[in-house]
Amino acid sequence: MRLIFLVSGLAIMGAGAGFIAWLRAAQELGQPGVRVVELPGTNRLDIAFPETALGRPLKRVPPTEMEMAMMPDDTSLGRAVFEAGDGFGCAISVVLMGTDRTSLHRPQICLTGQGWRLDLAESQDTSIKIDRPHAYELPVRRLLGTKQVETENGLETFRAVFVYWFVADEAITNQDWERMLWMANGLMTRGVLQRWAYVAYYSYCRPGQEEETWRRMSELVADTVPEFQIATRPGGEGQ
């Protein structure tokens, strides 16, 4: 059940509202801020996740045909699931845009659509310390949500811990408005469309276990991000 829960919880990436469409014809697509590998015969790329995380296998979970059909044909989606063996699990997802800027949107919309009641008072902007290839603070947005799920034991309450940020070539932010502002600035000043990726880590737990789940997720982020994320300095256009 855990694997299904984690995977379905991260199948939340879809099309969102686009902007500044009048610049599309003149744009040059920038480089991604994550490591990728080509998928022959397609316009898509795969995310170069590590084979292991925290000393355990990291299981790749390919996107479904339905998921890919809902996205622009040059949008890429990579997903993996980590299971510690002691009940803790976490899903990792990266959506990488292509020339279509509508590939990315704020995750709050889809989480709510999946039945999670977001606890806005407990959600926050924070950071996770990364020590490779140099020490820096990775800005992330942490969301907490509550959901009642019908299980074999009856109706049970679960808590979601969802962490995300956006990354492009030499740019990292946990704010969607900031990403859009930098993207517009790059288009208008250099004619370059930043190729943003939306990175998300998702886990769930019982009520009262949120902080321990967050601690273990932070360890997973610190261990895996240096393996697939190229950009290492928070900030972006004009900074």
Side-chain angles (χ1 to χ4, degrees):
M1 175 183 171
R2 174 170 288 275
L3 182 59
I4 296 174
F5 202 172
L6 287 171
V7 172
S8 63
L10 270 178
I12 63 170
M13 318 302 187
F19 77 109
I20 50 179
W22 56 275
L23 284 171
R24 178 173 295 183
Q27 72 191 19
E28 172 188 343
L29 188 61
Q31 295 298 311
V34 293
R35 293 184 174 89
V36 295
V37 293
E38 294 185 1
L39 292 175
T42 74
N43 293 327
R44 304 185 194 277
L45 301 169
D46 197 6
I47 308 303
F49 289 123
E51 295 295 322
T52 62
L54 297 175
R56 296 185 63 86
L58 193 63
K59 182 177 180 179
R60 300 297 300 268
V61 181
T64 66
E65 292 185 4
M66 180 177 296
E67 285 176 320
M68 301 315 296
M70 294 174 62
M71 296 184 176
D73 63 7
D74 63 351
T75 296
S76 303
L77 170 60
R79 191 161 55 215
V81 171
F82 172 81
E83 293 185 296
D86 60 359
F88 171 74
C90 184
I92 309 170
S93 184
V94 178
V95 179
L96 175 64
M97 61 173 274
T99 56
D100 192 325
R101 296 175 291 277
T102 66
S103 303
L104 310 183
H105 62 86
R106 298 171 70 249
Q108 289 87 338
I109 299 171
C110 289
L111 285 171
T112 302
Q114 289 190 6
W116 290 101
R117 188 185 75 250
L118 296 182
D119 301 315
L120 299 181
E122 297 183 78
S123 300
Q124 61 178 308
D125 294 326
T126 184
S127 65
I128 296 173
K129 185 176 181 179
I130 308 295
D131 60 11
R132 309 191 312 273
H134 59 84
Y136 69 97
E137 294 289 330
L138 174 70
V140 303
R141 177 70 174 166
R142 186 180 78 167
L143 305 178
L144 295 179
T146 304
K147 184 178 184 179
Q148 290 191 314
V149 179
E150 188 68 46
T151 72
E152 58 186 15
N153 299 319
L155 196 63
E156 298 187 68
T157 300
F158 290 91
R159 294 279 280 166
V161 183
F162 192 90
V163 179
Y164 74 94
W165 66 94
F166 303 98
V167 58
D169 183 26
E170 299 183 352
I172 307 173
T173 181
N174 59 1
Q175 301 295 328
D176 191 53
W177 67 266
E178 200 165 43
R179 171 184 69 86
M180 295 174 67
L181 179 64
W182 294 345
M183 186 163 55
N185 185 57
L187 277 170
M188 291 185 288
T189 60
R190 298 182 288 112
V192 174
L193 174 65
Q194 287 180 311
R195 192 167 194 177
W196 285 95
Y198 164 33
V199 185
Y201 285 62
Y202 163 80
S203 187
Y204 71 94
C205 61
R206 301 288 185 177
Q209 299 177 341
E210 296 89 347
E211 289 306 312
E212 175 62 14
T213 300
W214 161 245
R215 183 189 67 80
R216 299 190 68 172
M217 290 177 70
S218 298
E219 292 178 350
L220 182 63
V221 170
D223 186 61
T224 51
V225 161
E227 302 299 322
F228 70 85
Q229 183 167 295
I230 299 171
T232 62
R233 298 189 184 279
E237 287 289 327
Q239 297 194 18

